[in-house]
Amino acid sequence: MKTLQSFKARTGEPFGAPLPATTPEQVDAAAAAANAAFASWSASPGSTRAALLRALAAALETDREGLVALADEETALGPVRLNGELDRTAFQLRRFADIAERGVPFATTNDPAVAGPPPAGHPAMVRLRVPLGPVAMFSASNFPFAFSVLGGDTASALAAGCPVVVKAHSGHLLLSNRVFGLVQQVLKSQNLPAGLVGMIQGGGSDVGVRLVRHPSIAAGAFTGSTRGGAALQAEASARPRPIPFYGELGSINPVVALPAILATRGAELASTLAGSIAMGCGQFCTSPGVIVLLNDPASDAFVQQLTTALAGQKPHAMLTPGMRSAFDVGVTHMAAAGAQPLLHEAGSAEAPRPFLAQVDAADFIARTQLREEVFGPSSLIVRAASVAEALDVLNAVGGSLTVTLWGAEDDNADTRALVRGATAIAGRVLFAGVPTGVAVTAAQQHGGPWPSSTQPMSTSVGDAALERFLRPVALQDAPAWLLARKGLPC
Amino acid sequence: MKTLQSFKARTGEPFGAPLPATTPEQVDAAAAAANAAFASWSASPGSTRAALLRALAAALETDREGLVALADEETALGPVRLNGELDRTAFQLRRFADIAERGVPFATTNDPAVAGPPPAGHPAMVRLRVPLGPVAMFSASNFPFAFSVLGGDTASALAAGCPVVVKAHSGHLLLSNRVFGLVQQVLKSQNLPAGLVGMIQGGGSDVGVRLVRHPSIAAGAFTGSTRGGAALQAEASARPRPIPFYGELGSINPVVALPAILATRGAELASTLAGSIAMGCGQFCTSPGVIVLLNDPASDAFVQQLTTALAGQKPHAMLTPGMRSAFDVGVTHMAAAGAQPLLHEAGSAEAPRPFLAQVDAADFIARTQLREEVFGPSSLIVRAASVAEALDVLNAVGGSLTVTLWGAEDDNADTRALVRGATAIAGRVLFAGVPTGVAVTAAQQHGGPWPSSTQPMSTSVGDAALERFLRPVALQDAPAWLLARKGLPC
């Protein structure tokens, strides 16, 4: 029997007893159980979905102390952050409960018949949305609650009427199992099928790939690396019947700071930015990895301010030893590609020191290695000679979850061009603050052009995340009994 | 210089002088010109977009006589159908003009700041949508107006703020060039850049593939065969930066007719269905290719009625000699795969005779060859022993633009299961009438699971077609000047 081992993030020691890896047969069984649960769940009213989601939120909160302690051992993210993340996860579950209860998944477009010949005349049409089917959900390492077993993908899929099979992340196996135990208790207490939420664990083609290939799986949701996400997306596309695969992948999140704002608020902004780069040891998909500065004395001063502020940051241990060593490799590559280090210290075996380097726009544009995401507390200052060159930098980035524009308060040709350049490559454009921190709200868009996501028309955070799992269907001349269901699938 | 030749559909004779094939350099130039037009067009107000779309509709109508005559020679579809299709095309252009003028592309979700810490507190967010960029639009053979140069893809892309490069279909080259000439006149009269709508013509990787690979192209839209669409989709996905590719591909459009309705209305329904199978010589993506009947005397009678009604149909010449010979190959394959012919006559060199065959559900499910689309006046009756077996037939079809359910007027376990099975595989479910004829309206959904489309969450007909070319972006703490643009891109 294959087994899996959890580790303590701060020391690298084995943590707890080995866990059994899911067998290929068990993967198939989880997908089949999810499919068996699909008929009743997809036809369930909003009140039933809301009751489940709220009970799951409450279960997390009730077990808060034990969950946070376990998560802290496995991830080193610290109790403050982890309690906040648990709050956010419960908030998301309740928000999607409200969305389901309000009837959002059942909303219809009614289009009464118009008499007469086409094109103006047409039969009675009603457009509704049907749930896709069981969703394969791949947990992320860096959000052990909010992008894991009961994270936003699971919450939005359940609210949409889709069962979920979670692929647990190897970085927090014990936590995943404990949360999954809570899920099973809640399902039982609500007389819902155990297979409505399944979980598998293990690596490679025995588990994750097999799940994506399973004929009962109707969609994939993933948060993680570009390489891992691209490989799973290729599997989803290569199926005899391809399925949508919603992957949030790598992102380097440019921050463009114009000289005028740096001249007046440089020290404050440097401190804020340094905090964002080092926050959570830089292990955020929205971590600001590129700082674009125009050639100006205020920019020169800001480079000094940022270097000083970042030197004062003390990042905690990384999530896994693999990420820790990948960080060193990443910053070495960046230096080798011509980025001039401003801050480059060795760090400890578990916790890195922040890395900051600088490069000219022309080099940044010419060398793809400088545009690769370095997961961890690293950022690269890119110096541009003009707004036009700053736009070339954004264009070279090509796709990002976020772009931040500091100093765009006035309407002029430069700011309009920068807004245009930013919206062309990002899912979210910020005009104040830092990109880390993704609000769970109605207007959020977490997903931008490739490589930041595989489906940039969709979002994995915020109310619209639900839409990923619903497909439109038009009913033509539908009978009265079907219309009386008001968008609830049969 | 490579040249292209148009042919008369009814006789196969060369028609008109040879036309120059687009060179690779000209493809690049068309994409570059579209990209150059993107900045101003994406920032244009709804009134500007509406004025262009309405002028294009008027230009088609003004040149109606010449256009229909040319289209009739090249397609053999006949003046009644072609006049109706021109009406529909003008209607679509005006409908998207209205949509742009109403401000639909500029609609925003406003999400004011909420004070306090996260998760409940959040910054001010506004969700809007930005146009993707130049769209590569691949014309269809079977709708020389409505899915060609000025068809729904072009109308919806222009309304969304995206330039278009049309790949003209080889089946109606002269018509495409004449329509493109009208487009250029209108663009000039409105002082819009000629590159806002480009056109290329020719075959293979010199032209269509090169266009999809061009870095300035931001999306693809295609209506045609599964093979052609899948190949272009693979190109779109294999780009260094993949782009969305909206393909409407093959579909066999099952019609499920329950015995009770056949017992009372069999003759009438047989006549209607025969007309739908033979309409336009069966050259519709919504042509009913599979008729699912339960084992019942009323079904037996309906088979006779349908055979008789279909034998009375006189399909006209097919669009091209290639399609004509592919039809013969298709029906031969179907017979070879075990379908028992009920109607199988030779036809003429240009016009086929309708083909009708019958097979058991078990054979249909077991043999993929029986589920391949035969483009032309062909349909296959599948006999099922039970509703459960009829559901297995739908499941084997897997993905279709439409499913038609006749006799589902009452709410019972069978009709609910059939509605569930139909919505699981189709974009549109009809409860009366026939699937041919796709209304251009608010609730339309033309696109279903693979292989009927590459992006089943989108539609290529109806108001929602616009959404294919807009990507959501969240603005966080946006400055007043940007909010004052009310969703209009910079």
Side-chain angles (χ1 to χ4, degrees), chain A residues 392-410:
Chain A
D392 291 341
V393 168
L394 293 181
N395 190 45
V397 170
S400 183
L401 292 171
T402 70
V403 170
T404 302
L405 297 179
W406 283 345
E409 281 68 30
D410 296 331

Side-chain angles (χ1 to χ4, degrees), chain B residues 85-330:
Chain B
E85 193 185 326
L86 189 149
D87 289 341
R88 175 192 163 158
T89 307
F91 180 84
Q92 285 182 157
L93 287 160
R94 292 197 177 99
R95 192 167 177 108
F96 281 111
D98 294 346
I99 288 171
E101 202 168 50
R102 280 205 314 272
V104 174
F106 317 111
T108 58
T109 303
N110 286 299
D111 202 357
V114 172
H122 64 76
M125 307 283 289
V126 173
R127 186 178 170 91
L128 46 74
R129 296 187 296 175
V130 296
L132 293 179
V135 174
M137 198 292 270
F138 292 81
S139 300
S141 61
N142 57 340
F143 279 91
F145 293 112
F147 288 79
S148 190
V149 182
L150 282 180
D153 289 332
T154 298
S156 53
L158 288 172
C162 297
V164 176
V165 181
V166 175
K167 159 73 171 65
H169 198 281
S170 57
H172 49 273
L173 279 175
L174 295 178
L175 177 68
S176 299
N177 278 273
R178 184 158 174 155
V179 172
F180 185 64
L182 297 175
V183 173
Q184 289 302 312
Q185 283 173 31
V186 170
L187 289 173
K188 194 169 184 186
S189 74
Q190 302 209 349
N191 291 313
L192 292 167
L196 182 53
V197 181
M199 193 175 86
I200 62 172
Q201 55 197 9
S205 57
D206 277 2
V207 174
V209 171
R210 189 174 184 97
L211 183 65
V212 167
R213 287 180 182 166
H214 195 283
S216 291
I217 294 297
F222 172 95
T223 304
S225 70
T226 302
R227 209 171 99 181
L232 287 170
Q233 186 191 27
E235 292 288 344
S237 301
R239 288 166 50 112
R241 286 183 191 153
I243 56 172
F245 185 81
Y246 301 102
E248 296 306 325
L249 313 183
S251 183
I252 56 176
N253 305 297
V255 176
V256 182
L258 295 177
I261 194 170
L262 295 182
T264 55
R265 294 177 50 203
E268 167 209 343
L269 291 171
S271 167
T272 303
L273 186 55
S276 179
I277 293 167
M279 183 189 284
C281 198
Q283 299 167 122
F284 288 106
C285 47
T286 53
S287 191
V290 174
I291 323 293
V292 186
L293 303 177
L294 300 186
N295 289 338
D296 186 277
S299 300
D300 298 336
F302 184 73
V303 172
Q304 291 302 320
Q305 290 161 329
L306 181 61
T307 307
T308 306
L310 198 55
Q313 296 286 329
K314 295 186 174 54
H316 55 62
M318 292 197 80
L319 290 160
T320 68
M323 290 184 183
R324 176 68 190 88
S325 53
F327 177 81
D328 283 348
V329 170

Side-chain angles (χ1 to χ4, degrees), chain A residues 38-39 42 87-88 91 109 111 119-120 122-123 125-127 130 132 240-242 246 395-398 408-411 415-416 419-420 423-432 439 441-445 449-450 455-457 459 464 467-468 470-479 481-482 485 490, chain B residues 38-39 42 87-88 91 109 111 119-120 122-123 125-127 130 132 240-242 246 395-398 408-411 415-416 419-420 423-432 439 441-445 449-450 455-457 459 464 467-468 470-479 481-482 485 490:
Chain A
F38 178 50
S42 62
D87 289 340
R88 174 191 163 157
F91 180 85
T109 302
D111 203 356
H122 63 75
M125 307 284 288
V126 173
R127 186 178 169 93
V130 296
L132 292 180
R241 284 182 193 155
Y246 301 102
N395 190 45
V397 170
E409 281 68 30
D410 296 331
D411 180 12
T415 53
R416 281 198 303 277
V419 168
R420 183 179 173 80
T423 54
I425 68 158
R428 178 166 56 116
V429 179
L430 297 85
F431 296 85
T441 179
Q444 189 54 275
Q445 172 60 27
W450 180 269
Q455 300 260 5
M457 321 292 264
T459 179
E467 294 170 16
R468 295 176 296 169
L470 294 167
R471 180 172 58 76
V473 174
L475 304 180
Q476 183 169 326
D477 293 322
W481 67 267
L482 186 53
R485 295 184 65 85
C490 283
Chain B
F38 179 50
S42 62
D87 289 341
R88 175 192 163 158
F91 180 84
T109 303
D111 202 357
H122 64 76
M125 307 283 289
V126 173
R127 186 178 170 91
V130 296
L132 293 179
R241 286 183 191 153
Y246 301 102
N395 190 46
V397 170
E409 282 68 31
D410 294 332
D411 180 11
T415 53
R416 281 198 303 277
V419 168
R420 183 179 173 80
T423 55
I425 67 158
R428 177 165 57 116
V429 179
L430 298 86
F431 296 86
T441 179
Q444 188 55 273
Q445 173 59 29
W450 180 269
Q455 301 259 5
M457 321 292 263
T459 180
E467 294 169 18
R468 295 176 296 169
L470 294 167
R471 180 173 58 78
V473 174
L475 305 180
Q476 184 168 325
D477 293 323
W481 67 266
L482 187 52
R485 295 183 66 86
C490 283

